[in-house]
Amino acid sequence: MLNNHVTFRRVVSGALLVVAPLLQALAVTVDPGTWGDDREAVSFGANPTLAQVQSALYHWSWLLMAVAVLGLVHLTRQRNTRLGHVSGALTVLGYSSLSGMLIIDPVEWWLGRHYSPERAQQIMDEMLDLPITVGAFQMPWIFLGFVGLPLLVAAVWRTGFVGWWAPLVVAAGYLGSFAVPYGPLTLPFWYAPVVALGWVGVKILRMGDEAWASYYAMAAPGRTTPDSYANTTA
């Protein structure tokens, strides 16, 4: 597979669209902050093992999602290309920025072990409110992925590759999660995209190399085109 660029890119894209959102859903499930004190300096200290597990799961989820979206952009090579490029770029920037923010998790755990919750929170606020921290690592970059990904799935839907419900579920899951406090109520919102993105990933894995390769160039007369496979939407 490593010697075949068509097979490699198709399989990796499909597999990561299944794995990446699942890792995020698992992260919120095991996160001590989901079930305990909303101050991470406290909840991480109560269960440091799970705190480290959730950090690793979030990190790899967001890092892998930044790679997985390249497969979705590939599906917009011949239709909705501009929307695919713009939303894909937003998604990559957003998820890459989110991954970088996870370095604060062990800092919060350490502060919680050595200071009172109030003092630990004060120190964290002073660190995160620095202009360089806000401008370079937080705003607005960490939100771009949650906006760009639903738009990118919508662009893929407009190509006919997936049904209308896929971008709707992704948008409702990731954007809807901002309407509730981070905690148990976040779980159904972040599990919903697992279904939608996983379905897209499975379709990519099942479409075959010929169908994937047909997106690389404008089809010549008589050549197989992506539209031949668009009618397989759910």
Side-chain angles (χ1 to χ4, degrees):
M1 187 179 74
L2 292 176
N3 291 326
N4 188 321
H5 72 93
V6 175
T7 302
F8 179 80
R9 296 174 188 179
R10 178 181 61 82
V11 171
V12 170
S13 297
L16 291 185
L17 285 170
V18 175
V19 172
L22 180 60
L23 291 180
Q24 178 174 301
L26 292 176
V28 71
T29 303
V30 304
D31 186 353
T34 300
W35 312 101
D37 198 302
D38 60 0
R39 297 169 297 179
E40 291 184 338
V42 176
S43 58
F44 284 6
N47 199 325
T49 300
L50 284 182
Q52 295 176 68
V53 170
Q54 66 87 28
S55 292
L57 289 172
Y58 273 132
H59 168 71
W60 284 105
S61 167
W62 294 334
L63 194 64
L64 294 177
M65 185 63 77
V67 178
V69 298
L70 299 178
L72 295 177
V73 173
H74 173 78
L75 298 175
T76 66
R77 283 177 178 267
Q78 297 186 24
R79 297 178 62 182
N80 294 284
T81 305
R82 280 180 289 186
L83 179 58
H85 284 164
V86 172
S87 57
L90 292 176
T91 307
V92 171
L93 287 173
Y95 278 99
S96 299
S97 299
L98 279 169
S99 177
M101 288 295 295
L102 287 170
I103 195 63
I104 69 173
D105 283 2
V107 177
E108 287 197 280
W109 175 82
W110 188 91
L111 290 174
R113 293 288 299 270
H114 295 82
Y115 296 95
S116 67
E118 293 73 20
R119 179 55 179 158
Q121 188 63 53
Q122 181 185 15
I123 295 173
M124 283 301 303
D125 290 343
E126 292 177 2
M127 294 170 59
L128 296 180
D129 287 343
L130 291 172
I132 185 62
T133 307
V134 175
F137 298 99
Q138 297 183 58
M139 305 299 179
W141 322 112
I142 61 175
F143 297 108
L144 294 183
F146 296 122
V147 175
L149 186 55
L151 289 175
L152 181 54
V153 179
V156 174
W157 159 58
R158 293 294 301 275
T159 70
F161 188 78
V162 294
W164 58 268
W165 62 273
L168 183 63
V169 170
V170 173
Y174 288 141
L175 298 179
S177 66
F178 292 111
V180 300
Y182 184 83
L185 293 178
T186 307
L187 269 70
F189 286 100
W190 281 5
Y191 270 96
V194 174
V195 177
L197 294 173
W199 175 246
V200 179
V202 169
K203 284 182 66 67
I204 290 175
L205 291 172
R206 296 175 60 185
M207 69 188 297
D209 288 348
E210 181 182 358
W212 181 264
S214 68
Y215 286 86
Y216 281 115
M218 295 300 293
R223 180 180 173 182
T224 302
T225 68
D227 292 335
S228 305
Y229 304 90
N231 295 327
T232 63
T233 57

